């Protein structure tokens, strides 16, 4: 399999200028479903499977799950900042270095799956409360040097959810797990 396909099993994220209410609703549903999808996929995986990289020179599934939790905690915080401040500058973090920390390499994936389960309950509750004015709020990301509208942010994290779920799912398919 080609490396690009292994890295981006659903393709790279491409944002749009705006999203319809139906697109926003669908994207929120994708975010909402992620913890259950990981629970269903990984529920019976042993340490050998969890410590398998999803691609050559890639993270292990364990690191991947902890990364998703780290990323989505940051995403939730960014949403709250965007809703309470005018175009706040959010703080980037070194996700690759976070994935190398001891907890990301050794902790049970159950910790991050449970974190995701309850984080997503709060996150989705807040996302579903946004009206047109709320969806138009923004934050500034200094790493990408872009101002991000919340409707695009929702699309980006729906993509992020599917993107990383597919890493684990496709690995399982390739290995007949």
């Amino acid at each position: 399999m080609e490396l690009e396909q292994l890295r981006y099993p659903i393709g790279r994220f491409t944002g749009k200028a705006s999203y319809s209410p139906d697109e926003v609703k669908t994207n929120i549903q994708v975010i909402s479903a992620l913890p259950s999808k990981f629970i269903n996929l990984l529920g019976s995986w042993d340490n050998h499977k969890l410590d398998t990289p999803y691609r050559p020179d890639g993270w292990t599934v364990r690191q991947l799950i902890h990364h998703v939790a780290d990323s989505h905690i940051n995403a939730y915080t960014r949403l709250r900042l965007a809703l309470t401040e005018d175009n706040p500058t959010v703080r980037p973090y070194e996700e690759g270095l976070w994935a190398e920390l001891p907890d990301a390499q050794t902790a049970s994936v159950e910790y991050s799956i449970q974190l995701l389960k309850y984080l997503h309950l709060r996150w989705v509750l807040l996302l579903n409360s946004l009206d047109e004015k709320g969806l138009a709020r923004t934050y500034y990301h200094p790493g990408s040097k872009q101002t991000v509208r919340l409707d695009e942010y929702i699309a980006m994290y729906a993509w992020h959810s599917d993107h990383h779920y597919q890493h684990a799912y496709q690995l399982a398919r390739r290995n007949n797990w």
Side-chain angles (χ1 to χ4, degrees):
M1 199 171 215
E2 186 179 314
L3 184 59
E4 182 72 6
Q5 179 66 30
L6 292 172
R7 288 186 71 198
Y8 297 99
I10 63 169
R12 293 177 185 260
F13 176 73
T14 52
K16 301 182 344 180
S18 65
Y19 295 82
S20 73
D22 284 342
E23 289 171 315
V24 170
K25 183 179 178 181
T26 297
N27 287 330
I28 293 171
Q29 288 170 341
V30 169
I31 292 168
S32 178
L34 182 65
S36 294
K37 289 175 71 172
F38 274 140
I39 289 167
N40 292 333
L41 178 64
L42 305 175
S44 64
W45 285 26
D46 60 18
N47 284 332
H48 169 73
K49 291 177 182 177
L50 293 170
D51 292 328
T52 301
Y54 72 89
R55 66 172 172 84
D57 298 320
W59 291 333
T60 66
V61 173
R62 184 182 311 277
Q63 288 172 295
L64 180 82
I65 299 304
H66 295 314
H67 159 73
V68 172
D70 292 340
S71 174
H72 290 194
I73 288 168
N74 277 285
Y76 177 69
T77 301
R78 290 170 180 174
L79 172 66
R80 296 181 73 79
L81 289 169
L83 293 173
T84 59
E85 300 175 22
D86 289 330
N87 196 40
T89 298
V90 299
R91 190 174 189 300
Y93 68 101
E94 296 293 334
E95 65 183 36
L97 295 177
W98 284 33
E100 297 300 322
L101 291 171
D103 64 324
Q105 291 190 19
T106 63
S108 169
V109 296
E110 186 65 21
Y111 300 160
S112 285
I113 288 174
Q114 289 301 314
L115 193 154
L116 285 167
K117 180 179 172 183
Y118 293 104
L119 173 65
H120 278 230
L121 289 172
R122 291 251 339 250
W123 192 15
V124 168
L125 180 71
L126 189 52
L127 291 174
N128 279 322
S129 75
L130 298 178
D131 57 14
E132 189 175 323
K133 185 177 173 183
L135 292 168
R137 293 191 63 88
T138 61
Y139 64 81
Y140 177 74
H141 193 292
S144 64
K145 296 183 178 19
Q146 293 183 340
T147 296
V148 180
R149 285 175 45 106
L150 290 184
D151 58 353
E152 181 177 22
Y153 149 97
I154 294 167
M156 183 172 32
Y157 282 99
W159 173 87
H160 188 260
S161 296
D162 275 345
H163 169 70
H164 286 307
Y165 175 78
Q166 285 297 321
H167 283 146
Y169 178 75
Q170 295 297 330
L171 174 67
R173 284 192 57 203
R174 287 192 306 276
N175 288 300
N176 296 311
W177 292 344

